[in-house]
Amino acid sequence: MKDRQQVLSRTKTLKIDGHDVSGREDETILDVARENGIFIPTLCQLDGLSAHGGCRLCLVEVKGSSKLLPACVTHVAEGMEVVTNSERLIEYRRMIMELIFSEGNHVCAVCVVNGHCELQSLAQRIGMTHVTVPYLYPRRVVDASHERYALDRNRCILCTRCVRVCDEIEGAHTWDVSGRGIEARIVTDLNQPWGQSETCTSCGKCVNVCPTGALFEKGKAVAEMSKKRAFLPYLTLMREKRSK
Amino acid sequence: MIGDELIKIAQAEQAEKAQYPHHIHVCTGTPCLASRSDMVKQALEQELEQSGKARLCRVKGVGCKGLCAAGPLVSVEPDGILYQGVTPDDASVIVASLDSTPVKRLQCSLEMPFFKRQVKIVLENSGAIDPESIEDYIAADGYQALFHVLTMMTPAEVISQITKSGLRGRGGAGYPTGLKWSTVAKSHGERKFVICNADEGDPGAFMDRSVLESDPHRVIEGMAIAAYAIGASQGYLYVRAEYPLAVDRLKTAIRQAKKLGLLGENICGTPFSFNVDIRLGAGAFVCGEETALIASIEGKIGQPRPRPPYPAEHGLWGFPTLVNNVETFANVAPIIRKGAEWFSSIGNEKSKGTKVFSLAGRVVNNGLIEVPMGITLREIVFEIGAGIPDGRQFKAVQTGGPSGGCVPAQYLDMPVDYESLLEIGTYMGSGGMIVVDDTSSMVDVARYFMEFSMTESCGKCVPCRVGTAQMYNLLDSIAAGTATLEDLALLERLCDVVKHASLCGLGQGAPNPVISTLRYFRDEYLARIRQQEVV
């Protein structure tokens, strides 16, 4: 990582939404946009975890590319011209958000993270006022077998932050995704109840990185749970320092 | 293995063949085996034994002869007589006819357009050689190209030949093969890999399976040449587990090639070393997408990742990796043997060479065909395919599988090449061609493919995971006559989002069957909606 940063430390200048900005070659469009206060919505992305590229909310238009590119994994390049807020992108984001809501059973009024939910606030921010696609009302299993935490799959959006934090930061790899397509769901170990997991260290990182109320602490009532994520950049930074 | 040895093996094989005045070839591809060609072969061998003609005629199992609908197929060489629908009971009449007139009742005319209109490069050995015999392949000029490349050409010269030939990826998208090879060759990496994508999964497509079952050595030879060109020493054949016969024959082929020193260390006495291993897919369609395929070989969940970086730069275990389709590799040896000019003289301006199609659906001659690029669909359907059975009307051809679209009657005279197909809203795809007649509804066709995409979506990205399920539900209600015009408008909005926002080719292509059928057969959708509005 260190060598890579030294090799790739050349800076590039580019335009995002007409603003002239600069970034290092190893930075993504998202990194540089955030640094310059340009908002690009994200859900699966979380600083300190590997990129996933699954939520597709951060898609941007890049001049010269016929395809929309995810800002979270696309590196900046010299002379790049990026558009993050075209009519088309706004429409796509809203539709993707509606698809996320239609897929699960998201009832904010009874959710532990109501008012502290990334999904909820992002939906508001990108202007989703109602869902125009039919709700799928899936039947999903809740797992409350863990003594401190619970998993309500009805609120899961399959961002895989829990999978990544458990694997990459905690090193336990308790979580993974089972099944595919609309049947995909997160599971612990080899699909056994969370409480019986032999690898789970009960560290709670998964609960805190979860953007919705899918993973939550037991004993919290509606709207009582807020997530603490400060540990993640801290851990990442400390590890980088130690490796130097 | 040195050049003389190759020639010796070829000569020995030819001498062996010359001992017999007659040869009976029995197709042992999956379709013919399914109609028990193995029993036909056994019966023929027994009959020859019993009638005392065992020294006059040799029975050989060969690969696919193409006309799968008429199997089991048996041919008598060198007379060039083809028999169709042969049963074990027919063995005696066939053996009895060897020195007299052919059995009229079983004979299938080789003069029909199905055979006459084809141009065979990839399938030149299919149905002619025993896929389980490396000697038979060598006798048909096999491994000559590899030997020539290793002893007479530099890697750069090989790539230049492939570039000049104009060969483009046969997996569907048509990326120039030479350009891909040179990109991998120029990428820096301690190791490099060659991967053959044999995870053919489009409904109605069986080209790659037939090539692997009929001529496995040709694919291995192509991979070895590619490995030399890009500087790789390890290759993987990623084959779906649903192709057990292809896997068996590949295993046999790899073992034989290793034994003769055509795979392994110091191939043909040169410093070049190359090994091939087989990896089995576990049935996920998305693993045909190259980054998902690579993840699967690495032992991870078969899910795609965003590109760039492309595998050419950052592939298997992070090393530069060349991923080509079965048919692409199968074209390599002939290009080296006969030259780039020869190859580029076939086909049309931007699409060179031939393309193998599996012709299926409502067409008389179902089977495997190889035609020059630029041939018209009319020729394929009405001459080679002999038209629509039962006097029905032609409606459309579906190409490109679940990521493709349909070609309606007004484009029957359009040339079949990469660009023309894209222009009318479908794409070449890997070569599945399903003919639809007037008994089928295009709404049902679209719904069928959407169901396929929905169940095969890996679930990683939102537009594909949820969008395909939503689109399937909408198509289902249109088909059931319970949808409204608003539903149709929503379907079109979803098509747009899923096509442009999905992560990989599966999601990006999933709306195509809907977009294409809406473009040409919108009235069929409206008819189902109006019905309901009238009620």
Side-chain angles (χ1 to χ4, degrees):
Chain A
M1 195 65 197
K2 195 174 61 179
D3 289 348
R4 188 178 153 82
Q5 271 172 5
Q6 274 165 3
V7 174
L8 301 176
S9 62
R10 278 169 294 180
T11 52
K12 305 281 168 189
T13 53
L14 60 150
K15 268 189 165 61
I16 304 184
D17 293 340
H19 302 286
D20 288 309
V21 293
S22 66
R24 278 198 323 269
E25 203 172 35
D26 61 336
E27 286 184 304
T28 63
I29 296 173
L30 183 66
D31 293 330
V32 178
R34 282 183 178 165
E35 205 178 285
N36 289 280
I38 298 164
F39 169 70
I40 298 175
T42 54
L43 265 182
C44 62
Q45 190 275 344
L46 193 62
D47 282 341
L49 298 183
S50 65
H52 181 60
C55 75
R56 315 306 284 171
L57 286 168
C58 71
L59 286 179
V60 293
E61 292 169 2
V62 174
K63 198 176 172 189
S65 166
S66 59
K67 289 191 168 166
L68 302 175
L69 298 173
C72 67
V73 292
T74 308
H75 288 252
V76 297
E78 187 62 41
M80 200 179 222
E81 288 180 40
V82 181
V83 175
T84 73
N85 55 4
S86 68
E87 279 296 312
R88 179 180 178 218
L89 288 173
I90 290 169
E91 160 70 15
Y92 283 181
R93 281 173 196 155
R94 213 176 285 152
M95 181 58 117
I96 290 168
M97 194 54 105
E98 288 181 29
L99 288 173
I100 293 175
F101 273 88
S102 76
E103 178 193 24
N105 297 307
H106 297 277
V107 189
C108 300
V110 298
C111 181
V112 284
V113 295
N114 189 8
H116 316 283
C117 173
E118 257 185 79
L119 179 67
Q120 188 185 38
S121 45
L122 193 64
Q124 284 166 351
R125 180 151 189 191
I126 67 172
M128 190 196 90
T129 52
H130 59 292
V131 175
T132 56
V133 295
Y135 283 103
L136 296 176
Y137 300 117
R139 292 179 68 88
R140 290 183 179 172
V141 181
V142 176
D143 183 349
S145 58
H146 194 281
E147 58 172 343
R148 288 169 60 197
Y149 310 116
L151 161 65
D152 185 347
R153 290 197 179 86
N154 293 293
R155 302 171 186 153
C156 176
I157 59 167
L158 289 165
C159 67
T160 71
R161 282 186 188 179
C162 54
V163 177
R164 285 174 284 152
V165 81
C166 188
D167 175 45
E168 296 163 14
I169 307 293
E170 178 63 7
H173 202 133
T174 301
W175 293 107
D176 218 322
V177 179
S178 156
R180 66 177 180 233
I182 199 75
E183 305 286 325
R185 63 192 194 287
I186 57 163
V187 294
T188 39
D189 287 353
L190 296 170
N191 196 16
Q192 63 232 50
W194 193 0
Q196 289 169 25
S197 164
E198 287 173 19
T199 59
C200 177
T201 61
S202 301
C203 72
K205 289 187 181 70
C206 54
V207 176
N208 280 300
V209 297
C210 175
T212 72
L215 289 166
F216 60 96
E217 255 173 69
K218 283 184 173 175
K220 297 274 163 123
V222 171
E224 273 189 1
M225 166 122 201
S226 61
K227 310 238 165 162
K228 300 169 194 71
R229 304 217 173 96
F231 74 93
L232 195 57
Y234 175 76
L235 273 182
T236 323
L237 186 70
M238 285 303 121
R239 284 186 187 182
E240 270 172 25
K241 276 201 174 154
R242 184 170 289 181
S243 67
K244 275 180 189 171
Chain B
M1 170 66 59
I2 50 167
D4 292 349
E5 289 177 54
L6 269 183
I7 295 167
K8 266 187 211 156
I9 292 172
Q11 283 170 345
E13 182 64 23
Q14 266 140 13
E16 165 88 16
K17 269 183 203 162
Q19 289 179 4
Y20 298 91
H22 302 286
H23 297 263
I24 297 182
H25 293 177
V26 182
C27 176
T28 53
T30 294
C32 282
L33 275 181
S35 37
R36 300 322 302 263
S37 67
D38 52 338
M39 286 170 70
V40 172
K41 183 166 175 263
Q42 212 180 355
L44 283 164
E45 280 162 352
Q46 272 173 5
E47 182 62 31
L48 284 170
E49 204 63 52
Q50 281 163 10
S51 60
K53 291 185 178 172
R55 299 186 65 84
L56 293 175
C57 180
R58 188 163 78 157
V59 181
K60 184 165 86 172
V62 295
C64 184
K65 289 181 166 294
L67 195 56
C68 306
L73 296 170
V74 170
S75 69
V76 179
E77 309 293 345
D79 314 336
I81 300 161
L82 183 69
Y83 294 126
Q84 60 182 352
V86 181
T87 63
D89 298 339
D90 297 327
S92 54
V93 281
I94 292 176
V95 169
S97 78
L98 280 178
D99 282 313
S100 63
T101 51
V103 189
K104 279 275 172 291
R105 174 172 62 85
L106 298 168
Q107 204 174 358
C108 175
S109 167
L110 286 166
E111 295 302 311
M112 59 199 250
F114 182 85
F115 297 103
K116 283 283 167 198
R117 297 304 302 267
Q118 295 197 45
V119 174
K120 299 205 170 184
I121 298 174
V122 170
L123 301 178
E124 63 181 343
N125 290 337
S126 292
I129 67 162
D130 179 354
E132 294 179 1
S133 158
I134 192 169
E135 290 80 12
D136 217 3
Y137 179 66
I138 291 171
D141 296 337
Y143 288 109
Q144 260 186 23
L146 177 64
F147 180 76
H148 179 78
V149 159
L150 294 184
T151 53
M152 313 283 282
M153 292 170 86
T154 65
E157 284 168 350
V158 178
I159 293 174
S160 137
Q161 278 295 303
I162 298 298
T163 307
K164 271 192 215 148
S165 75
L167 177 65
R168 295 169 65 176
R170 297 294 194 245
Y175 192 80
T177 306
L179 182 58
K180 202 185 236 185
W181 286 25
S182 84
T183 312
V184 186
K186 283 179 183 165
S187 294
H188 292 287
E190 280 168 48
R191 306 181 65 190
K192 288 178 187 177
F193 294 100
V194 172
I195 294 175
C196 174
N197 184 347
D199 193 47
E200 177 176 64
D202 288 1
F206 46 88
M207 304 75 53
D208 294 349
R209 192 203 69 217
S210 301
V211 172
L212 293 172
E213 284 176 2
S214 306
D215 203 0
H217 284 289
R218 161 183 299 262
V219 179
I220 293 168
E221 187 179 5
M223 286 178 75
I225 293 170
Y228 174 73
I230 64 157
S233 57
Q234 174 66 44
Y236 290 98
L237 261 154
Y238 189 88
V239 196
R240 61 191 307 219
E242 293 89 336
Y243 285 176
L245 186 62
V247 173
D248 278 353
R249 290 194 176 153
L250 281 170
K251 279 185 186 160
T252 306
I254 291 171
R255 200 176 55 238
Q256 291 170 338
K258 276 188 181 158
K259 205 169 164 188
L260 290 186
L262 292 162
L263 281 179
E265 306 295 309
N266 302 112
I267 297 173
C268 299
T270 68
F272 175 67
S273 300
F274 182 61
N275 271 303
V276 179
D277 285 312
I278 296 176
R279 289 290 177 272
L280 295 186
F285 176 68
V286 74
C287 286
E289 197 281 341
E290 57 182 9
T291 60
L293 186 153
I294 287 171
S296 174
I297 293 180
E298 289 172 347
K300 298 178 186 153
I301 296 183
Q303 287 188 341
R305 60 157 178 80
R307 299 178 305 178
Y310 288 89
E313 217 184 323
H314 188 94
L316 190 59
W317 294 298
F319 296 107
T321 303
L322 174 76
V323 186
N324 274 150
N325 159 272
V326 170
E327 196 184 328
T328 313
F329 281 126
N331 272 302
V332 171
I335 291 174
I336 300 292
R337 259 191 284 122
K338 300 183 187 170
E341 290 74 23
W342 161 80
F343 188 82
S344 63
S345 70
I346 302 164
N348 65 13
E349 198 193 338
K350 284 186 172 170
S351 304
K352 303 295 185 191
T354 58
K355 179 78 193 83
V356 181
F357 289 104
S358 50
L359 196 56
R362 299 288 292 162
V363 60
V364 173
N365 292 332
N366 270 261
L368 188 73
I369 60 166
E370 182 172 1
V371 290
M373 293 276 192
I375 191 171
T376 66
L377 265 178
R378 188 183 298 283
E379 289 170 279
I380 292 179
V381 176
F382 289 95
E383 292 182 28
I384 295 173
I388 316 296
D390 309 328
R392 306 299 313 195
Q393 279 291 312
F394 171 87
K395 194 180 215 175
V397 178
Q398 159 79 27
T399 73
S403 311
C406 61
V407 184
Q410 68 255 41
Y411 294 113
L412 270 173
D413 291 308
M414 184 204 70
V416 174
D417 61 50
Y418 293 102
E419 277 72 25
S420 305
L421 286 169
L422 270 183
E423 220 167 88
I424 61 159
T426 178
Y427 91 134
M428 179 75 82
S430 56
M433 222 175 232
I434 302 170
V435 182
V436 181
D437 71 8
D438 59 356
T439 57
S440 299
S441 145
M442 296 314 281
V443 178
D444 293 337
V445 170
R447 182 181 60 163
Y448 169 79
F449 280 110
M450 191 55 71
E451 184 178 14
F452 182 86
S453 294
M454 173 180 74
T455 48
E456 292 300 337
S457 165
C458 77
K460 179 171 179 175
C461 77
V462 177
C464 175
R465 181 179 73 230
V466 194
T468 53
Q470 292 280 9
M471 286 194 286
Y472 172 73
N473 289 349
L474 288 167
L475 286 164
D476 201 38
S477 73
I478 293 171
T482 58
T484 62
L485 282 171
E486 285 79 55
D487 290 332
L488 187 60
L490 177 62
L491 179 66
E492 294 195 273
R493 270 174 68 210
L494 281 167
C495 282
D496 181 38
V497 175
V498 175
K499 187 179 171 79
H500 295 106
S502 291
L503 195 161
C504 82
L506 195 161
Q508 289 161 9
N512 288 348
V514 184
I515 296 172
S516 160
T517 47
L518 271 170
R519 180 168 165 187
Y520 299 116
F521 300 96
R522 200 179 186 86
D523 50 333
E524 292 194 19
Y525 283 81
L526 291 175
R528 301 258 184 137
I529 287 166
R530 294 236 171 85
Q531 258 177 15
Q532 186 250 346
E533 283 183 345
V534 171
V535 173

